[in-house]
């Protein structure tokens, strides 16, 4: 997808789309001749996570604190109490905007046939937290899950001593493996993160379920 096409989908000017691409908001970009192209999935994700709406995104630590609170966690200290009070006033799209820097999303593909065969075991052993249509929560939420051979989507902490290539993966726009790279280790994945990731899906039913679940979490906060 060209940047001009992305601008039309996002409802921004071509220059604004260029700035979004330059800042990494539209994922990996590449040039085909003189044309800059981006992955359609990254554009639709930006459309659904509040990238073009107003408001400054939180730092990763604050974003994860917000998601823990939305998922039923208790507020620890005055700072988190203030954060909870702020979250109550937000809409699902505003929370999507606020927490969108919780991880760096990259599309991947396997390097070899051997890596493909061992992929599920490899990423599970690496500590992948399944999300979106790969999350075990979604069957309780009325959605059909994605089998591991169809889709891989999850959060992963690599640390300083491990690379994606160590897992048999390399970055490729449009790859079927979506990894959300974390700055810090994650104990357990808050259900609010799964709801947000569903909101960013290209599947309209998944987006609706994610938005409804997040709205319910806000209501009971």
């Amino acid at each position: 997808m060209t940047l001009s096409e992305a601008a039309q989908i996002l409802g921004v000017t071509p220059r604004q789309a260029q700035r979004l691409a330059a800042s990494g908001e539209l994922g990996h970009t590449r040039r085909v001749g003189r044309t800059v192209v981006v992955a359609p999935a990254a554009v639709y994700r930006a459309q659904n996570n509040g990238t073009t709406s107003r408001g400054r995104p939180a730092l990763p630590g604050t974003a994860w604190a917000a998601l823990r609170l939305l998922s039923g966690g208790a507020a620890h200290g005055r700072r988190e109490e203030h954060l909870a009070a702020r979250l109550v006033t937000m809409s699902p799209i505003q929370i999507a905007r606020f927490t969108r820097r919780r991880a760096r999303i990259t599309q991947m593909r396997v390097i070899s046939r051997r890596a493909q065969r061992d992929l599920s075991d490899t990423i599970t052993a690496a500590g992948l937290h399944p999300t979106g249509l790969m999350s075990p929560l979604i069957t309780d939420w009325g959605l059909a899950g994605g089998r591991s051979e169809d889709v891989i989507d999850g959060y992963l902490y690599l640390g300083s001593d491990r690379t994606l290539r160590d897992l048999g993966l390399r970055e490729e726009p449009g790859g079927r493996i979506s990894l959300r790279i974390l700055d810090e280790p994650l104990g357990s994945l808050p259900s609010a993160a799964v709801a947000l990731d569903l909101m960013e899906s290209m599947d309209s039913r998944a987006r609706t379920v994610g938005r409804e679940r997040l709205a319910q979490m806000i209501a009971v906060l």
Side-chain angles (χ1 to χ4, degrees):
M1 178 184 293
T2 67
L3 277 183
S4 295
E5 293 169 333
Q8 291 179 349
I9 291 171
L10 296 173
V12 299
T13 66
R15 184 174 295 276
Q16 288 173 317
Q18 290 174 0
R19 287 199 291 266
L20 289 171
S23 65
E25 299 287 1
L26 300 182
H28 182 80
T29 63
R30 61 188 178 90
R31 285 190 174 273
V32 178
R34 295 183 178 181
T35 303
V36 177
V37 297
V38 295
V43 175
Y44 287 107
R45 183 180 300 116
Q47 182 187 40
N48 296 319
N49 72 4
T51 292
T52 58
S53 62
R54 294 183 178 181
R56 179 176 297 179
L59 294 174
T62 302
W64 285 109
L67 295 176
R68 182 179 59 79
L69 292 170
L70 285 163
S71 302
H76 301 299
R78 184 166 296 180
R79 185 174 181 179
E80 288 196 356
E81 290 175 356
H82 287 313
L83 178 58
R86 183 179 178 186
L87 294 172
V88 170
T89 69
M90 292 185 183
S91 67
I93 193 65
Q94 288 173 325
I95 287 177
R97 166 74 179 182
F98 183 67
T99 62
R100 67 188 174 85
R101 289 185 179 168
R102 60 192 178 274
R104 176 179 63 86
I105 303 175
T106 182
Q107 304 295 124
M108 312 296 299
R109 70 178 298 271
V110 293
I111 294 173
S112 65
R113 290 184 179 179
R114 179 178 179 179
Q116 175 71 57
R117 184 179 66 248
D118 300 335
L119 180 59
S120 181
D121 291 339
T122 299
I123 61 174
T124 298
L128 184 78
H129 296 274
T131 191
L133 290 172
M134 194 179 174
S135 170
L137 288 175
I138 66 168
T139 52
D140 293 335
W141 293 358
L143 290 169
R147 300 185 305 276
S148 59
E149 65 267 23
D150 295 332
V151 58
I152 293 176
D153 187 3
Y155 290 89
L156 183 66
Y157 175 68
L158 290 172
S160 59
D161 59 347
R162 187 170 58 178
T163 67
L164 290 168
R165 195 168 187 85
D166 293 335
L167 303 179
L169 301 171
R170 70 180 180 191
E171 189 170 359
E172 180 174 294
R176 72 178 185 88
I177 303 167
S178 294
L179 292 183
R180 302 164 188 265
I181 308 301
L182 297 163
D183 287 346
E184 300 290 340
L186 186 65
S188 59
L189 186 64
S191 56
V194 178
L196 282 169
D197 296 332
L198 290 174
M199 281 177 60
E200 298 175 1
S201 172
M202 294 182 69
D203 181 276
S204 60
R205 172 62 179 156
R207 291 197 302 270
T208 298
V209 169
R211 186 168 55 251
E212 290 175 348
R213 285 287 168 173
L214 192 57
Q216 292 171 8
M217 295 175 191
I218 297 169
V220 300
L221 189 62

